[in-house]
Amino acid sequence: MKILVVGANGQIGKHLVTLIQDRENLEAKAMIRKQEQASFFEELGAETAVVDLEDDIDTIAKAAEGVDAIVFTAGSGPHTGPDKTILIDLDGAVKTIKAAEAAGVKRFVMVSSFDTSREAIQAAPSSFAPYVAAKHYADEWLKGTNLNYTIVHPGRLTNDQGTGQVEAAYKVERGDIPREDVASVLAETLADESTIGKEFQVVGGEVKIKEALQSLR
Ligand code: NAP
């Protein structure tokens, strides 16, 4: 199974490409936005595609040609304004979904935010609300497609070492989760077809990732 990782040069993205390359039946294609980011992935034996999420759908679809799944783990980050939140976290995500459809890629795994409900948009501080709204509508768009989607809602990301254990359910208490464990959740999600059509929140916990995903309702 070949997976296009969108946002591969990000912190979760790098963990994910590394994990995918370590697995027997998976191979990664890293979508990055600068050629100078390629060497990390080439050393792992992964293919790369240099595409900016502000490019058009056809350009993203070209990168998606021949892959079996897409993981969207890109994000504009906290150091840019609401303009980039709209262009990357919302429009970049929707363009990637449309690119998946155009390239005939059925499986799509979205890295969302912890709570993207309408209530969360209303409750968010004004500086954070555009991001929550962007993630809300990107998730809604994905749910309205015929793609085999899974939406993963991680808690607050840390750079702690992964534990391989999480708590995952449609709703869990807010908490932290190492980025390394989020990457493991994404790799396991790709391997577990029972996650198709589901969305779940995930934080650090005491259940092995594989079992936590198998017990999702
Ligand atoms: P990250 O390290 O900031 O990675 C984001 C990636 O998106 C980077 O590789 C960046 O590329 C890429 N990107 C940004 N703009 C782009 C563009 N125009 N075209 C192509 N790629 C672009 O983030 P992370 O820590 O891995 O987290 C991934 C996502 O998880 C976040 O973006 C956020 O939406 C979500 N999340 C975060 C939290 C949290 O607590 N922070 C909680 C839940 C969910 P460059 O490397 O070139 O900059």
Side-chain angles (χ1 to χ4, degrees):
M1 186 183 199
K2 189 167 180 176
I3 298 126
L4 181 71
V5 179
V6 175
N9 195 56
Q11 299 172 86
I12 291 175
K14 281 183 163 170
H15 282 302
L16 179 60
V17 173
T18 306
L19 278 177
I20 289 173
Q21 292 301 103
D22 276 351
R23 288 205 177 200
E24 279 259 304
N25 301 320
L26 300 182
E27 61 175 308
K29 181 172 182 182
M31 198 177 108
I32 51 179
R33 56 174 164 168
K34 295 183 195 118
Q35 185 56 47
E36 57 265 34
Q37 296 167 339
S39 59
F40 175 89
F41 304 99
E42 286 163 359
E43 276 166 29
L44 294 172
E47 206 183 320
T48 58
V50 179
V51 177
D52 194 299
L53 281 168
E54 293 188 48
D55 292 339
D56 62 15
I57 294 168
D58 285 352
T59 308
I60 304 170
K62 210 159 260 157
E65 265 169 25
V67 308
D68 304 292
I70 296 178
V71 177
F72 186 93
T73 183
S76 60
H79 305 297
T80 53
D83 52 343
K84 294 296 179 191
T85 304
I86 288 176
L87 287 173
I88 307 307
D89 302 276
L90 175 51
D91 195 41
V94 172
K95 284 191 292 188
T96 306
I97 294 163
K98 287 173 174 270
E101 292 171 324
V105 182
K106 288 296 285 178
R107 184 77 171 109
F108 199 105
V109 178
M110 175 70 88
V111 177
S112 186
S113 177
F114 183 70
D115 186 350
T116 57
S117 61
R118 270 236 59 83
E119 296 73 23
I121 303 173
Q122 300 308 139
S126 60
S127 60
F128 194 57
Y131 169 74
V132 183
K135 297 299 272 182
H136 169 85
Y137 286 106
D139 290 353
E140 287 297 302
W141 193 284
L142 182 56
K143 285 187 262 185
T145 68
N146 288 320
L147 296 176
N148 294 331
Y149 71 83
T150 307
I151 301 176
V152 180
H153 298 275
R156 197 178 71 89
L157 303 174
T158 73
N159 287 330
D160 295 342
Q161 201 177 352
T163 65
Q165 303 197 139
V166 296
E167 184 186 355
Y170 183 69
K171 279 261 166 244
V172 301
E173 282 284 311
R174 200 175 275 275
D176 291 356
I177 181 167
R179 287 179 169 86
E180 197 177 354
D181 281 335
V182 176
S184 299
V185 166
L186 296 170
E188 204 51 54
T189 296
L190 289 162
D192 182 349
E193 291 201 348
S194 77
T195 62
I196 290 172
K198 292 184 181 162
E199 64 178 310
F200 59 91
Q201 294 180 329
V202 60
V203 295
E206 288 171 3
V207 183
K208 287 204 173 77
I209 288 170
K210 196 172 183 161
E211 289 165 25
L213 296 191
Q214 282 167 353
S215 62
L216 288 171
R217 297 272 167 261

